[in-house]
Amino acid sequence: MDQVTPTIEDYWNMDYDENYTSSPETSRTRAAPCLQEDIYAFAQKYSPVVYCLVFLLAVVGNVLVLCVIHRYRNSQSGGACSFSLTDTFLLHLAISDLLLAVTLPLFAVQWAHQWVFGLAACKVSGALFSLNRYSGILFLACISFDRYLAIVHAVSSGWKRNTCHAQIACAFIWVACLGLSGVDITFKQVVVGHHKLLLCQVWFTENSTQWQVGLQLVSVILGFGLPLLIMLYCYIRIFRSLCNATRRQKRKSLRLIISLVSVFVVCWAPYNCFQLVDILHRLGTVTGGCQFGRVVDIGTLITESLGLSHCALNPLLYGFVGVKFRRELVRMCKGLLGQRGLLGMEGWRQRRPRRTTGSFSSAESENTSYSVMV
C-alpha cells in the first residue's frame, strides 16, 4: 500500500480507556487485555443478514412511496407550492430512508468479507449513512410539528403552513445534516482489523476521548433526544385537542399517534441507551471490565440494526396506514396491470370521509384533503 494503514492491533498495548475505536454503523472493538474475538465473529454472521434484509424492505417500501407521491403530485394543479406539507416532508423522508438503505449492502459486504471499495467509497458511504440517519429522524419531527399546527392551531397557522416554507425547512435540514456528516469525511479510514481484514471505520487517534464523547453526545441529542421531545410535545397537544372529536375518530387518530411515537422509541431508544452508557464509561462515571465491554459492544451492534430497521418501517407508518395512499397505490397498480379490480380491492373506492364534530373537523379536513398520506 502507498500509505501506512492504521491497524487495530497498533493500539492493543495501550490502556483500555485510551484505545477505543468507534463507528456509528459497526460494532466497536475493544483492545488488550480484552481481546473479544467472539464479538467480531458474531458481527460477521449477524450484520450481513440484517443489513441485506433491511435494504430490501426499505428499497421496496420507499420506492413505492415515491412512485405514489409522484403520481399524486402530477394529478394536482397549482405548482409545487400547492403540494401538501405532509407529502412534502414524506417525500424527503422517503428519499432519506432510501439513500440510507443504499449504503447498507456495502457494510454487509464488509462484515461478510472485508472492505473492498477503497478509501473514497468508505468516506462517501459513511457520510451518506450519517446524513440520512440524522435527516430521516428530523423529517419525522417535522411531520409531527406539521400535524400539531394543523390540528391544534388549524385556524391561526394557515399562513405558516405554506409548502414553500416546508421546502425551505427541508433544505435547511439537508444542509445541517450534511455538516454533521463531515465527521465521517474527516475521520473515516480503512483500517486493518481482526485477521488482517480491512474495515471502514471512524478512526480516532490516541487521547481523543473528548472528541469521541462530544460526537456521541451530538448523535444522541440531535439523532434522538431533540426529535423525541418535539414529537412528544406535539402529540400530547394533539391528544388534548382530539378530546372534542367523536369517540371512533379519536380512537382511530390515537392509534396512529401512539404507533408513530412507539415505533420511533422502540427502534432508536435501545441504541441511544447503549450510547449513553458508553459515554458514562468514557467519562469514568461507570466502570466495568471485559465482560462489561462485551455487553456494550454486542448490545450496540444489535440495537443499531434495530434502529436501522426504522427506515423500512417508515413507509408502513407514514404511507400504508393512509386510506388515500392505499387508494392511489391500487390505482397505480391497476394502471400498470391494465386490469380493473385485479387486486380485489374495489371496496376501497366506496369509502367516504367521515364527518367530524368540534374543533377536530376543520383540522382533519385541512390535514387530509390535499395529502396522499392519510
Side-chain angles (χ1 to χ4, degrees):
M1 300 181 67
D2 296 334
Q3 60 181 359
V4 178
T5 303
T7 65
I8 293 177
E9 288 82 354
D10 289 339
Y11 293 153
W12 277 6
N13 293 324
M14 297 179 184
D15 293 336
Y16 179 84
D17 288 336
E18 293 180 349
N19 176 39
Y20 197 85
T21 302
S22 64
S23 171
E25 69 280 343
T26 62
S27 66
R28 293 162 296 183
T29 307
R30 301 285 181 178
C34 300
L35 301 181
Q36 301 175 357
E37 295 288 338
D38 56 332
I39 297 176
Y40 187 78
F42 175 76
Q44 285 182 307
K45 297 178 181 179
Y46 175 81
S47 296
V49 175
V50 174
Y51 284 6
C52 289
L53 180 61
V54 172
F55 166 75
L56 293 175
L57 294 176
V59 168
V60 172
N62 286 288
V63 166
L64 283 177
V65 170
L66 292 175
C67 291
V68 171
I69 292 178
H70 177 71
R71 181 184 185 277
Y72 184 79
R73 185 171 187 172
N74 288 340
S75 67
Q76 304 301 306
S77 60
C81 287
S82 65
F83 198 48
S84 164
L85 269 73
T86 300
D87 293 337
T88 298
F89 290 125
L90 179 62
L91 174 65
H92 286 268
L93 176 62
I95 293 174
S96 174
D97 288 339
L98 189 60
L99 291 176
L100 175 61
V102 168
T103 66
L104 297 181
L106 302 181
F107 296 106
V109 171
Q110 169 180 268
W111 288 113
H113 178 54
Q114 66 174 348
W115 187 263
V116 296
F117 307 105
L119 179 60
C122 173
K123 291 180 176 291
V124 172
S125 61
L128 279 176
F129 185 99
S130 297
L131 168 67
N132 296 290
R133 174 176 173 261
Y134 285 118
S135 62
I137 294 174
L138 292 177
F139 285 133
L140 296 182
C142 287
I143 292 175
S144 303
F145 186 68
D146 174 59
R147 288 175 176 174
Y148 161 75
L149 291 178
I151 295 177
V152 180
H153 302 287
V155 177
S156 61
S157 65
W159 67 273
K160 301 176 184 178
R161 300 185 65 252
N162 182 283
T163 307
C164 291
H165 294 165
Q167 295 286 8
I168 295 174
C170 290
F172 177 80
I173 290 176
W174 283 116
V175 172
C177 293
L178 182 62
L180 292 173
S181 66
V183 174
D184 294 89
I185 297 293
T186 303
F187 294 104
K188 277 283 184 178
Q189 296 291 335
V190 178
V191 304
V192 179
H194 293 282
H195 308 297
K196 305 300 181 182
L197 299 178
L198 297 179
L199 300 176
C200 175
Q201 291 186 326
V202 171
W203 186 261
F204 293 101
T205 57
E206 182 182 354
N207 299 322
S208 58
T209 302
Q210 291 182 344
W211 265 102
Q212 298 176 50
V213 170
L215 293 175
Q216 282 182 293
L217 282 174
V218 170
S219 175
V220 171
I221 293 173
L222 295 183
F224 182 75
L226 180 60
L228 179 61
L229 289 177
I230 294 175
M231 293 173 69
L232 288 177
Y233 173 79
C234 293
Y235 289 139
I236 289 174
R237 294 295 303 274
I238 290 173
F239 173 83
R240 294 177 178 177
S241 179
L242 291 178
C243 290
N244 293 327
T246 64
R247 183 177 180 181
R248 187 173 182 179
Q249 291 162 348
K250 181 170 64 176
R251 184 169 58 249
K252 178 181 178 181
S253 299
L254 291 181
R255 281 201 302 265
L256 176 60
I257 291 171
I258 292 174
S259 66
L260 296 178
V261 178
S262 298
V263 171
F264 172 77
V265 173
V266 168
C267 286
W268 283 113
Y271 174 75
N272 285 275
C273 286
F274 276 99
Q275 290 290 288
L276 288 175
V277 170
D278 182 63
I279 291 173
L280 294 176
H281 178 261
R282 293 181 189 278
L283 296 176
T285 306
V286 177
T287 58
C290 294
Q291 185 61 32
F292 176 83
R294 179 181 288 105
V295 171
V296 172
D297 283 338
I298 294 181
T300 300
L301 181 69
I302 295 175
T303 55
E304 184 187 48
S305 63
L306 177 63
L308 292 175
S309 68
H310 197 239
C311 69
L313 296 175
N314 280 338
L316 298 176
L317 293 175
Y318 292 88
F320 294 103
V321 296
V323 174
K324 293 176 68 176
F325 183 92
R326 293 197 302 266
R327 185 183 299 122
E328 290 295 324
L329 179 62
V330 171
R331 289 173 179 172
M332 183 181 69
C333 293
K334 287 179 179 179
L336 294 175
L337 296 174
Q339 300 179 12
R340 296 179 59 85
L342 181 63
L343 301 180
M345 299 181 180
E346 290 290 335
W348 283 350
R349 299 172 54 191
Q350 301 176 0
R351 296 187 180 182
R352 295 291 184 271
R354 299 186 181 91
R355 294 183 179 273
T356 60
T357 60
S359 63
F360 180 69
S361 177
S362 61
E364 184 186 58
S365 176
E366 193 281 335
N367 198 37
T368 61
S369 297
Y370 305 105
S371 173
V372 70
M373 191 183 81
V374 291

